Amino acid sequence: MRRQPLPWLLGPAFVAAVAYVDPGNVAANLTAGAQYGYLLVWVLVAANAMAVLVQYLSAKVGLVTGSSLPELLGDRLPRVRRLAYWVQAELVAAATDLAEVIGGAIALHILFGIPLLAGGVIIGVVSMLLLALQSHRGPRVFEFVVTGLLVIVTVGFVTGLFFGSVSWSEAAAGIVPRFEGPETVLLAASMLGATVMPHAIYAHSSLARDRHGHAVPTTALPRLLKATRWDVVLSLLVAGSVNIAMLLLAAGNLAGVPGTDTIEGAHAAITAALGPVIGITFGIGLLASGLASTAVGSYAGAAIMGGLLHLRIPVYTRRLVTLIPALIIIAAGVDPTWALVLSQVLLSLGIPFALVPLVRLSSNRTVMGAFVNKTVLTVIAWVVVALIVALNLALIALTVTGQG
């Protein structure tokens, strides 16, 4: 394998990181900041730390084995379990698509007054064009375009922080873990689902494999894994900073302002408090977020279907099929921001189904050979899984008892 400079090896994690700043994050983070101030800053800090570990393990599995996580599962699960697993993974992918299409449609409505349904169609069409880059121009071009959109997202969501009011002492206090009632548990689960995303776990193993090859020489793996660690840390440092910036912006400038429980209301409040330029910048960031994340989500869905069902359909066909449910929900008049938050809760429930197999496979010497997880890393990974499952169980209990 030809030796390449370290910066040239970066990229797959930045594509996966787009999933961590999608419109679902916007809805969950703005809602958390506007309603509860700085209380849930710790959720984003913890979730981002977990995401670094999770995404590294996913990329590591793809590089070492030359197979994506869905492919490894598809080869090991019996038919009935494989189909059941595929159903839950597809539900997660559908929830992801819902958040991304609705978020992009809201951005077009904010910026240009385009009706939500028409905006959803536009987002779907543009995402097909982005997927064409990946299909016809290769992973590197796709990475450049998606990373460029990530830069726009970062500028769009972070700029307001420099013009708004933030209590940094309260933000620091928000790092201490705590809840205030069952509603904050539900919202924390939504934020977790928006941060550690199942489809990003599935996709990253495929992205790393597609970028570096199906059969990486063993001698090249140590250097690629080192580059992957840098890739993951840098990309999620960006994504995590954007998420925290959104929450701080809402906590410092939207608390107590009527109507901030919707993205449109939050945008109006941001515009009123910080001026139209910041409002437009926010809208552009939301649009870039919707466009980039819906392309990455479709890529993940194709990887899931191909790996678990051994069935490959044109990515454009899949994009069209998964676009329809989101358009139906928009046409039905469901409150878009609430739909976004609920989609993130569904994603949170799907996380263990991606995490448990990932940790088991990456800790299996038969699968990973000399690159199997060290004992300390395995223990930390299982602790992360336990924490996420515990929060999900609390979410289910609150939902069943009607307190969520």
Side-chain angles (χ1 to χ4, degrees), residues 21-404:
V21 288
D22 78 350
N25 294 84
V26 181
N29 295 333
L30 291 180
T31 299
Q35 293 185 3
Y36 299 102
Y38 304 94
L39 176 71
L40 298 177
V41 170
W42 68 271
V43 175
L44 293 179
V45 174
N48 209 65
M50 294 177 187
V52 170
L53 172 62
V54 168
Q55 294 305 137
Y56 171 67
L57 291 182
S58 176
K60 179 182 176 182
V61 165
L63 285 172
V64 173
T65 67
S67 299
S68 68
L69 178 59
E71 287 172 343
L72 292 171
L73 292 172
D75 291 338
R76 286 163 172 76
L77 293 175
R79 186 173 184 275
V80 174
R81 288 175 59 191
R82 180 161 51 86
L83 291 175
Y85 192 95
W86 170 73
V87 169
Q88 68 81 26
E90 286 293 346
L91 288 175
V92 166
T96 302
D97 214 38
L98 171 65
E100 292 156 352
V101 172
I102 289 179
I106 291 174
L108 288 173
H109 180 69
I110 287 173
L111 292 170
F112 308 109
I114 297 173
L116 289 179
L117 183 58
V121 172
I122 293 171
I123 294 297
V125 170
V126 175
S127 68
M128 289 184 185
L129 298 176
L130 291 175
L131 289 168
L133 290 174
Q134 197 276 333
S135 298
H136 300 296
R137 300 296 298 275
R140 191 60 179 168
V141 174
F142 184 61
E143 287 171 12
F144 276 132
V145 173
V146 173
T147 301
L149 289 171
L150 179 61
V151 171
I152 296 173
V153 171
T154 303
V155 173
F157 291 144
V158 173
T159 300
L161 198 63
F162 296 98
F163 296 89
S165 173
V166 176
S167 172
W168 295 105
S169 60
E170 291 184 54
I175 297 177
V176 179
R178 64 193 189 280
F179 294 108
E180 289 184 2
E183 294 83 3
T184 60
V185 179
L186 178 66
L187 192 52
S190 177
M191 294 164 68
L192 180 65
T195 306
V196 183
M197 302 191 73
H199 80 285
I201 299 172
Y202 297 124
H204 200 166
S205 58
S206 183
L207 287 164
R209 188 272 315 277
D210 289 351
R211 172 67 183 286
H212 299 296
H214 290 248
V216 177
T218 302
T219 55
L221 280 172
R223 187 164 183 270
L224 284 181
L225 290 173
K226 178 181 178 181
T228 296
R229 287 191 288 271
W230 277 104
D231 198 24
V232 171
V233 170
L234 292 175
S235 63
L236 290 180
L237 179 62
V238 172
S241 299
V242 172
N243 282 322
I244 292 173
M246 281 190 279
L247 188 147
L248 296 182
L249 180 67
N253 301 276
L254 306 183
V257 179
T260 53
D261 54 342
T262 68
I263 291 180
E264 298 98 319
H267 171 262
I270 290 171
T271 301
L274 305 178
V277 173
I278 300 300
I280 292 173
T281 303
F282 177 89
I284 292 173
L286 181 62
L287 178 59
S289 168
L291 290 174
S293 57
T294 193
V296 175
S298 294
Y299 173 93
I304 290 169
M305 177 175 285
L308 291 172
L309 298 188
H310 307 298
L311 175 65
R312 299 193 182 278
I313 62 175
V315 70
Y316 312 111
T317 303
R318 180 181 174 83
R319 165 71 279 188
L320 183 61
V321 170
T322 55
L323 179 64
I324 292 173
L327 295 180
I328 290 174
I329 289 177
I330 292 175
V334 176
D335 178 69
T337 301
W338 182 235
L340 285 177
V341 173
L342 287 182
S343 74
Q344 304 313 301
V345 173
L346 181 58
L347 292 177
S348 183
L349 294 175
I351 291 171
F353 292 98
L355 272 183
V356 171
L358 175 65
V359 176
R360 289 188 63 183
L361 288 169
S362 62
S363 304
N364 186 327
R365 186 171 294 277
T366 302
V367 176
M368 302 295 289
F371 299 95
V372 67
N373 292 342
K374 303 297 184 185
T375 301
V376 173
L377 183 59
T378 300
V379 170
I380 294 173
W382 282 121
V383 169
V384 167
V385 172
L387 289 172
I388 293 174
V389 171
L391 185 55
N392 288 335
L393 290 176
L395 170 64
I396 294 170
L398 291 172
T399 302
V400 170
T401 57
Q403 299 180 66

